[in-house]
């Protein structure tokens, strides 16, 4: 079985401040991990993914995430928030093979001018 | 044109009506999914299909049915709609490997009165 926990359903940051969105996962096998972003009235779009190899993964729009096996975490960060980053962010995990993807409940990011 | 197209984008209907939501894709992916999104609950999987002859129930399939008419088409039906099926519905596709991201349509906002 696999699961995802996103800590904080709402996060507020000031424009220019560090963005940190937390994601912890549970998986009985080495996981595939994803972060998606959802803007209003749109579907989810892939920000970045970890499959194998380098544990620090860079994505679009300046976001990155680090896979930490010992902490079962895959937190999403961005050094400096922009107003355009305001959206909902979803962490997701897959155990591979014929396993489906499990999504977290999402974190809404508010960016304060 | 969008790679994953959902129709209709919005629908308001009455309790007891039969409703069909349609999804078509031009990505050539074998895997297709139907999710519903509710505030505070994230995305929950309704049904998924790994190829034309494969249909699987997700975590919340009761009250729903699906049809995979072709590789490119996957429709979701509510045989007798009830108010608690009011939600945002998403179709997604995925290449035939679980380490690949999912590609989402823009969603169908369904309201059942």
């Amino acid at each position: 079985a696999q699961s995802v926990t996103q800590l904080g359903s709402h996060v507020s940051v000031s424009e220019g401040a560090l963005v940190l969105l937390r994601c912890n996962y549970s998986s009985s096998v080495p996981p595939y991990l994803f972060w998606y972003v959802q803007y209003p009235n749109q579907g989810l779009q892939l920000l970045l993914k970890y499959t194998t190899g380098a544990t620090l993964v860079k994505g679009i729009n300046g976001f990155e995430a680090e896979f930490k096996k010992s902490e079962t975490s895959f937190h999403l960060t961005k050094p400096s928030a922009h107003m355009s980053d305001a959206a909902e962010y979803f962490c997701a995990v897959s155990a591979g093979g014929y396993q489906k993807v499990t999504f977290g409940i999402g974190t809404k990011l508010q960016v304060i001018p | 044109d969008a790679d994953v197209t959902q129709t209709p984008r919005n629908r308001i209907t009455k309790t007891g009506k039969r409703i069909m939501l349609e999804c078509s894709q031009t990505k050539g992916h074998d895997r297709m999914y139907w999710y519903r999104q509710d505030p505070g609950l994230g995305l929950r999987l309704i049904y998924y299909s790994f190829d034309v002859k494969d249909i699987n129930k997700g975590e919340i399939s009761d009250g729903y049915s699906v049809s995979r008419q072709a590789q490119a088409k996957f429709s979701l039906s509510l045989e007798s709609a009830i108010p608690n099926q009011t939600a945002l519905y998403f179709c997604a596709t995925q290449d035939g490997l679980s380490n690949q991201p999912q590609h989402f349509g823009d969603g169908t906002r369904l309201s059942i009165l």
Side-chain angles (χ1 to χ4, degrees):
Chain A
Q2 60 196 31
S3 65
V4 173
T5 301
Q6 289 186 243
L7 300 175
S9 59
H10 290 81
V11 170
S12 293
V13 300
S14 297
E15 189 175 16
L18 171 72
V19 175
L20 171 60
L21 304 183
R22 300 178 185 274
C23 173
N24 289 89
Y25 69 90
S26 172
S27 177
S28 56
V29 298
Y32 301 131
L33 295 160
F34 307 85
W35 275 101
Y36 291 85
V37 60
Q38 184 183 29
Y39 299 105
N41 299 315
Q42 294 184 24
L44 280 67
Q45 304 170 32
L46 181 71
L47 268 180
L48 50 79
K49 67 174 183 176
Y50 169 80
T51 53
T52 59
T55 56
L56 182 61
V57 181
K58 295 185 184 298
I60 61 172
N61 301 336
F63 284 92
E64 62 183 35
E66 187 171 9
F67 170 61
K68 292 187 176 181
K69 183 179 178 180
S70 62
E71 299 177 8
T72 61
S73 69
F74 191 57
H75 302 329
L76 183 70
T77 61
K78 182 174 181 178
S80 176
H82 295 170
M83 295 299 296
S84 61
D85 294 327
E88 190 160 16
Y89 293 79
F90 292 88
C91 183
V93 63
S94 171
Y98 286 96
Q99 295 301 311
K100 56 191 182 296
V101 175
T102 300
F103 287 85
I105 64 170
T107 297
K108 284 190 176 178
L109 177 66
Q110 179 186 23
V111 181
I112 303 167
Chain B
D1 288 339
D3 295 324
V4 183
T5 302
Q6 292 185 235
T7 55
R9 290 295 314 279
N10 294 279
R11 177 79 184 271
I12 301 173
T13 191
K14 295 181 179 180
T15 298
K17 294 291 187 180
R18 183 179 188 274
I19 302 160
M20 180 180 286
L21 308 184
E22 299 188 349
C23 177
S24 63
Q25 53 124 341
T26 59
K27 300 193 71 68
H29 289 167
D30 287 326
R31 297 186 179 189
M32 297 188 74
Y33 302 82
W34 275 106
Y35 296 92
R36 65 176 279 177
Q37 183 180 20
D38 299 274
L41 297 178
L43 271 73
R44 292 183 291 168
L45 183 62
I46 305 172
Y47 271 96
Y48 62 105
S49 170
F50 281 174
D51 64 42
V52 174
K53 297 181 179 179
D54 176 73
I55 301 289
N56 304 281
K57 293 182 177 180
E59 57 187 295
I60 54 162
S61 60
D62 286 350
Y64 301 94
S65 63
V66 291
S67 174
R68 185 82 184 265
Q69 300 96 323
Q71 186 202 41
K73 296 183 182 294
F74 192 38
S75 59
L76 175 72
S77 294
L78 288 68
E79 296 300 327
S80 179
I82 56 177
N84 74 3
Q85 292 177 313
T86 293
L88 185 56
Y89 289 84
F90 286 102
C91 174
T93 73
Q94 185 184 31
D95 197 355
L97 296 171
S98 292
N99 63 352
Q100 297 300 309
Q102 295 189 2
H103 298 262
F104 286 80
D106 285 335
T108 294
R109 188 168 296 279
L110 179 61
S111 295
I112 300 165
L113 307 177

